mmCIF file of all heavy atoms in Angstrom:
data_model
loop_
_atom_site.group_PDB
_atom_site.id
_atom_site.type_symbol
_atom_site.label_atom_id
_atom_site.label_comp_id
_atom_site.label_asym_id
_atom_site.label_seq_id
_atom_site.Cartn_x
_atom_site.Cartn_y
_atom_site.Cartn_z
ATOM 1 N N ASP A 52 112.060 222.959 46.559
ATOM 2 C CA ASP A 52 110.748 223.382 46.885
ATOM 3 C C ASP A 52 110.206 222.533 48.007
ATOM 4 O O ASP A 52 109.449 222.991 48.871
ATOM 5 C CB ASP A 52 109.881 223.293 45.661
ATOM 6 C CG ASP A 52 110.225 224.353 44.585
ATOM 7 O OD1 ASP A 52 110.987 225.337 44.905
ATOM 8 O OD2 ASP A 52 109.679 224.295 43.514
ATOM 9 N N MET A 53 110.591 221.294 48.082
ATOM 10 C CA MET A 53 110.167 220.357 49.173
ATOM 11 C C MET A 53 110.697 220.928 50.531
ATOM 12 O O MET A 53 109.974 220.853 51.471
ATOM 13 C CB MET A 53 110.731 218.999 48.989
ATOM 14 C CG MET A 53 110.313 217.994 50.104
ATOM 15 S SD MET A 53 111.496 216.609 50.223
ATOM 16 C CE MET A 53 112.972 217.364 50.673
ATOM 17 N N THR A 54 111.855 221.489 50.548
ATOM 18 C CA THR A 54 112.367 221.959 51.803
ATOM 19 C C THR A 54 111.479 223.152 52.290
ATOM 20 O O THR A 54 111.329 223.268 53.495
ATOM 21 C CB THR A 54 113.816 222.435 51.709
ATOM 22 O OG1 THR A 54 113.950 223.567 50.802
ATOM 23 C CG2 THR A 54 114.754 221.347 51.255
ATOM 24 N N GLY A 55 111.001 223.943 51.425
ATOM 25 C CA GLY A 55 110.065 224.982 51.856
ATOM 26 C C GLY A 55 108.770 224.446 52.395
ATOM 27 O O GLY A 55 108.187 224.912 53.378
ATOM 28 N N GLU A 56 108.247 223.373 51.812
ATOM 29 C CA GLU A 56 107.016 222.805 52.243
ATOM 30 C C GLU A 56 107.155 222.166 53.601
ATOM 31 O O GLU A 56 106.309 222.199 54.473
ATOM 32 C CB GLU A 56 106.487 221.747 51.202
ATOM 33 C CG GLU A 56 105.996 222.319 50.003
ATOM 34 C CD GLU A 56 104.853 223.321 50.131
ATOM 35 O OE1 GLU A 56 103.959 223.090 51.018
ATOM 36 O OE2 GLU A 56 104.856 224.295 49.434
ATOM 37 N N ILE A 57 108.361 221.457 53.775
ATOM 38 C CA ILE A 57 108.581 220.938 55.093
ATOM 39 C C ILE A 57 108.716 221.967 56.136
ATOM 40 O O ILE A 57 108.250 221.865 57.309
ATOM 41 C CB ILE A 57 109.874 219.998 55.025
ATOM 42 C CG1 ILE A 57 109.610 218.762 54.204
ATOM 43 C CG2 ILE A 57 110.201 219.575 56.462
ATOM 44 C CD1 ILE A 57 110.786 217.871 53.984
ATOM 45 N N GLY A 58 109.336 223.069 55.814
ATOM 46 C CA GLY A 58 109.540 224.191 56.771
ATOM 47 C C GLY A 58 108.113 224.744 57.119
ATOM 48 O O GLY A 58 107.822 225.014 58.368
ATOM 49 N N ARG A 59 107.152 224.881 56.172
ATOM 50 C CA ARG A 59 105.790 225.349 56.536
ATOM 51 C C ARG A 59 105.168 224.245 57.427
ATOM 52 O O ARG A 59 104.382 224.640 58.405
ATOM 53 C CB ARG A 59 105.021 225.597 55.286
ATOM 54 C CG ARG A 59 105.500 226.920 54.579
ATOM 55 C CD ARG A 59 104.607 227.211 53.436
ATOM 56 N NE ARG A 59 105.022 226.542 52.172
ATOM 57 C CZ ARG A 59 106.144 226.846 51.533
ATOM 58 N NH1 ARG A 59 106.916 227.921 51.915
ATOM 59 N NH2 ARG A 59 106.477 226.240 50.380
ATOM 60 N N GLN A 60 105.345 223.036 57.170
ATOM 61 C CA GLN A 60 104.785 221.956 57.920
ATOM 62 C C GLN A 60 105.338 221.970 59.381
ATOM 63 O O GLN A 60 104.776 221.721 60.339
ATOM 64 C CB GLN A 60 105.020 220.568 57.331
ATOM 65 C CG GLN A 60 104.347 219.446 58.098
ATOM 66 C CD GLN A 60 102.824 219.581 58.224
ATOM 67 O OE1 GLN A 60 102.221 219.828 57.257
ATOM 68 N NE2 GLN A 60 102.230 219.406 59.402
ATOM 69 N N MET A 61 106.637 222.270 59.480
ATOM 70 C CA MET A 61 107.355 222.375 60.781
ATOM 71 C C MET A 61 106.628 223.425 61.658
ATOM 72 O O MET A 61 106.428 223.215 62.807
ATOM 73 C CB MET A 61 108.830 222.751 60.622
ATOM 74 C CG MET A 61 109.694 221.683 60.323
ATOM 75 S SD MET A 61 111.441 222.224 60.158
ATOM 76 C CE MET A 61 111.726 222.801 61.858
ATOM 77 N N GLN A 62 106.310 224.551 60.996
ATOM 78 C CA GLN A 62 105.620 225.596 61.704
ATOM 79 C C GLN A 62 104.268 225.208 62.282
ATOM 80 O O GLN A 62 103.956 225.459 63.439
ATOM 81 C CB GLN A 62 105.463 226.854 60.818
ATOM 82 C CG GLN A 62 104.925 228.017 61.578
ATOM 83 C CD GLN A 62 105.899 228.506 62.687
ATOM 84 O OE1 GLN A 62 107.115 228.501 62.511
ATOM 85 N NE2 GLN A 62 105.335 228.952 63.808
ATOM 86 N N MET A 63 103.619 224.384 61.501
ATOM 87 C CA MET A 63 102.290 223.785 62.024
ATOM 88 C C MET A 63 102.490 222.917 63.170
ATOM 89 O O MET A 63 101.794 222.902 64.185
ATOM 90 C CB MET A 63 101.517 223.156 60.942
ATOM 91 C CG MET A 63 100.963 224.181 59.894
ATOM 92 S SD MET A 63 99.844 223.440 58.652
ATOM 93 C CE MET A 63 101.071 223.084 57.289
ATOM 94 N N TRP A 64 103.553 222.026 62.980
ATOM 95 C CA TRP A 64 103.766 221.021 64.161
ATOM 96 C C TRP A 64 104.172 221.794 65.407
ATOM 97 O O TRP A 64 103.865 221.482 66.482
ATOM 98 C CB TRP A 64 104.932 220.051 63.693
ATOM 99 C CG TRP A 64 104.529 218.995 62.714
ATOM 100 C CD1 TRP A 64 103.308 218.355 62.802
ATOM 101 C CD2 TRP A 64 105.234 218.458 61.773
ATOM 102 N NE1 TRP A 64 103.290 217.433 61.767
ATOM 103 C CE2 TRP A 64 104.463 217.443 61.180
ATOM 104 C CE3 TRP A 64 106.525 218.640 61.274
ATOM 105 C CZ2 TRP A 64 104.886 216.626 60.083
ATOM 106 C CZ3 TRP A 64 106.958 217.903 60.162
ATOM 107 C CH2 TRP A 64 106.184 216.853 59.655
ATOM 108 N N ILE A 65 104.953 222.897 65.268
ATOM 109 C CA ILE A 65 105.378 223.638 66.437
ATOM 110 C C ILE A 65 104.190 224.275 67.099
ATOM 111 O O ILE A 65 104.027 224.212 68.236
ATOM 112 C CB ILE A 65 106.446 224.690 66.017
ATOM 113 C CG1 ILE A 65 107.766 224.013 65.657
ATOM 114 C CG2 ILE A 65 106.561 225.787 67.122
ATOM 115 C CD1 ILE A 65 108.788 224.882 65.036
ATOM 116 N N GLN A 66 103.248 224.835 66.311
ATOM 117 C CA GLN A 66 102.036 225.383 66.851
ATOM 118 C C GLN A 66 101.228 224.382 67.637
ATOM 119 O O GLN A 66 100.482 224.677 68.577
ATOM 120 C CB GLN A 66 101.197 226.006 65.761
ATOM 121 C CG GLN A 66 101.903 227.358 65.216
ATOM 122 C CD GLN A 66 101.219 227.877 64.021
ATOM 123 O OE1 GLN A 66 100.326 227.274 63.371
ATOM 124 N NE2 GLN A 66 101.558 229.096 63.630
ATOM 125 N N GLU A 67 101.294 223.146 67.104
ATOM 126 C CA GLU A 67 100.493 222.032 67.798
ATOM 127 C C GLU A 67 101.241 221.428 68.921
ATOM 128 O O GLU A 67 100.724 220.529 69.624
ATOM 129 C CB GLU A 67 100.281 220.936 66.715
ATOM 130 C CG GLU A 67 99.386 221.317 65.635
ATOM 131 C CD GLU A 67 99.440 220.299 64.381
ATOM 132 O OE1 GLU A 67 100.163 219.241 64.467
ATOM 133 O OE2 GLU A 67 98.651 220.535 63.459
ATOM 134 N N GLY A 68 102.559 221.873 69.182
ATOM 135 C CA GLY A 68 103.391 221.243 70.156
ATOM 136 C C GLY A 68 104.039 219.917 69.826
ATOM 137 O O GLY A 68 104.465 219.212 70.767
ATOM 138 N N ASN A 69 104.026 219.600 68.540
ATOM 139 C CA ASN A 69 104.592 218.367 68.098
ATOM 140 C C ASN A 69 106.069 218.549 67.718
ATOM 141 O O ASN A 69 106.408 218.602 66.566
ATOM 142 C CB ASN A 69 103.779 217.778 66.887
ATOM 143 C CG ASN A 69 104.120 216.347 66.594
ATOM 144 O OD1 ASN A 69 105.115 215.756 67.023
ATOM 145 N ND2 ASN A 69 103.297 215.800 65.766
ATOM 146 N N TYR A 70 106.918 218.727 68.786
ATOM 147 C CA TYR A 70 108.260 219.126 68.478
ATOM 148 C C TYR A 70 109.128 218.030 67.879
ATOM 149 O O TYR A 70 110.011 218.300 67.222
ATOM 150 C CB TYR A 70 108.875 219.643 69.795
ATOM 151 C CG TYR A 70 108.087 220.755 70.436
ATOM 152 C CD1 TYR A 70 107.775 220.697 71.811
ATOM 153 C CD2 TYR A 70 107.630 221.797 69.689
ATOM 154 C CE1 TYR A 70 106.947 221.691 72.387
ATOM 155 C CE2 TYR A 70 106.884 222.846 70.243
ATOM 156 C CZ TYR A 70 106.515 222.778 71.613
ATOM 157 O OH TYR A 70 105.828 223.833 72.116
ATOM 158 N N ALA A 71 108.800 216.713 68.139
ATOM 159 C CA ALA A 71 109.518 215.619 67.651
ATOM 160 C C ALA A 71 109.397 215.632 66.112
ATOM 161 O O ALA A 71 110.396 215.399 65.430
ATOM 162 C CB ALA A 71 109.056 214.324 68.270
ATOM 163 N N GLU A 72 108.197 215.915 65.594
ATOM 164 C CA GLU A 72 108.067 215.893 64.208
ATOM 165 C C GLU A 72 108.722 217.156 63.638
ATOM 166 O O GLU A 72 109.347 217.138 62.425
ATOM 167 C CB GLU A 72 106.551 215.984 63.796
ATOM 168 C CG GLU A 72 105.897 214.615 63.894
ATOM 169 C CD GLU A 72 106.508 213.529 62.950
ATOM 170 O OE1 GLU A 72 106.548 213.862 61.760
ATOM 171 O OE2 GLU A 72 106.950 212.550 63.492
ATOM 172 N N ALA A 73 108.726 218.241 64.299
ATOM 173 C CA ALA A 73 109.448 219.492 63.846
ATOM 174 C C ALA A 73 110.947 219.174 63.711
ATOM 175 O O ALA A 73 111.595 219.555 62.804
ATOM 176 C CB ALA A 73 109.180 220.627 64.748
ATOM 177 N N ILE A 74 111.432 218.444 64.663
ATOM 178 C CA ILE A 74 112.917 218.127 64.648
ATOM 179 C C ILE A 74 113.208 217.225 63.496
ATOM 180 O O ILE A 74 114.164 217.374 62.683
ATOM 181 C CB ILE A 74 113.379 217.462 65.986
ATOM 182 C CG1 ILE A 74 113.384 218.539 67.061
ATOM 183 C CG2 ILE A 74 114.758 216.814 65.838
ATOM 184 C CD1 ILE A 74 113.480 217.920 68.462
ATOM 185 N N ARG A 75 112.252 216.202 63.196
ATOM 186 C CA ARG A 75 112.418 215.331 62.113
ATOM 187 C C ARG A 75 112.377 216.107 60.764
ATOM 188 O O ARG A 75 113.104 215.893 59.829
ATOM 189 C CB ARG A 75 111.261 214.282 62.067
ATOM 190 C CG ARG A 75 111.341 213.205 60.958
ATOM 191 C CD ARG A 75 110.292 212.157 61.133
ATOM 192 N NE ARG A 75 109.050 212.593 60.658
ATOM 193 C CZ ARG A 75 108.620 212.421 59.403
ATOM 194 N NH1 ARG A 75 109.406 211.875 58.446
ATOM 195 N NH2 ARG A 75 107.423 212.834 59.018
ATOM 196 N N GLY A 76 111.542 217.098 60.665
ATOM 197 C CA GLY A 76 111.445 217.993 59.511
ATOM 198 C C GLY A 76 112.695 218.721 59.278
ATOM 199 O O GLY A 76 113.205 218.817 58.132
ATOM 200 N N ASN A 77 113.288 219.215 60.329
ATOM 201 C CA ASN A 77 114.568 219.994 60.182
ATOM 202 C C ASN A 77 115.640 219.089 59.689
ATOM 203 O O ASN A 77 116.404 219.466 58.837
ATOM 204 C CB ASN A 77 114.931 220.563 61.598
ATOM 205 C CG ASN A 77 116.244 221.238 61.532
ATOM 206 O OD1 ASN A 77 117.350 220.787 61.955
ATOM 207 N ND2 ASN A 77 116.252 222.471 61.016
ATOM 208 N N ARG A 78 115.764 217.836 60.186
ATOM 209 C CA ARG A 78 116.685 216.842 59.786
ATOM 210 C C ARG A 78 116.548 216.531 58.223
ATOM 211 O O ARG A 78 117.500 216.411 57.490
ATOM 212 C CB ARG A 78 116.659 215.595 60.597
ATOM 213 C CG ARG A 78 117.191 215.672 61.920
ATOM 214 C CD ARG A 78 117.276 214.365 62.615
ATOM 215 N NE ARG A 78 117.586 214.535 64.084
ATOM 216 C CZ ARG A 78 116.960 214.056 65.024
ATOM 217 N NH1 ARG A 78 115.880 213.285 64.819
ATOM 218 N NH2 ARG A 78 117.271 214.288 66.293
ATOM 219 N N ALA A 79 115.299 216.461 57.781
ATOM 220 C CA ALA A 79 115.024 216.172 56.328
ATOM 221 C C ALA A 79 115.493 217.255 55.521
ATOM 222 O O ALA A 79 116.092 217.098 54.447
ATOM 223 C CB ALA A 79 113.505 215.865 56.141
ATOM 224 N N ILE A 80 115.218 218.509 55.988
ATOM 225 C CA ILE A 80 115.656 219.689 55.199
ATOM 226 C C ILE A 80 117.189 219.647 55.118
ATOM 227 O O ILE A 80 117.694 219.896 54.073
ATOM 228 C CB ILE A 80 115.128 220.961 55.853
ATOM 229 C CG1 ILE A 80 113.584 221.046 55.727
ATOM 230 C CG2 ILE A 80 115.803 222.232 55.156
ATOM 231 C CD1 ILE A 80 112.946 222.153 56.468
ATOM 232 N N ALA A 81 117.793 219.460 56.237
ATOM 233 C CA ALA A 81 119.297 219.446 56.317
ATOM 234 C C ALA A 81 119.787 218.407 55.324
ATOM 235 O O ALA A 81 120.893 218.614 54.661
ATOM 236 C CB ALA A 81 119.840 219.179 57.707
ATOM 237 N N GLU A 82 119.218 217.235 55.223
ATOM 238 C CA GLU A 82 119.749 216.191 54.382
ATOM 239 C C GLU A 82 119.604 216.627 52.973
ATOM 240 O O GLU A 82 120.460 216.338 52.102
ATOM 241 C CB GLU A 82 118.992 214.858 54.647
ATOM 242 C CG GLU A 82 119.410 214.196 55.893
ATOM 243 C CD GLU A 82 118.553 212.939 56.208
ATOM 244 O OE1 GLU A 82 117.862 212.417 55.328
ATOM 245 O OE2 GLU A 82 118.595 212.500 57.302
ATOM 246 N N ALA A 83 118.437 217.217 52.592
ATOM 247 C CA ALA A 83 118.183 217.570 51.183
ATOM 248 C C ALA A 83 119.273 218.720 50.852
ATOM 249 O O ALA A 83 119.748 218.687 49.723
ATOM 250 C CB ALA A 83 116.758 218.155 51.033
ATOM 251 N N VAL A 84 119.478 219.618 51.741
ATOM 252 C CA VAL A 84 120.449 220.727 51.511
ATOM 253 C C VAL A 84 121.853 220.185 51.296
ATOM 254 O O VAL A 84 122.613 220.595 50.414
ATOM 255 C CB VAL A 84 120.439 221.853 52.629
ATOM 256 C CG1 VAL A 84 121.553 222.716 52.567
ATOM 257 C CG2 VAL A 84 119.075 222.558 52.536
#
Side-chain angles (χ1 to χ4, degrees):
D52 292 349
M53 176 204 66
T54 64
E56 291 302 322
I57 293 173
R59 284 183 277 286
Q60 183 63 46
M61 280 181 64
Q62 188 61 38
M63 289 187 266
W64 283 324
I65 289 168
Q66 290 171 348
E67 296 167 357
N69 193 346
Y70 305 131
E72 284 298 302
I74 292 168
R75 183 175 79 89
N77 179 259
R78 286 186 189 130
I80 293 171
E82 288 175 15
V84 167

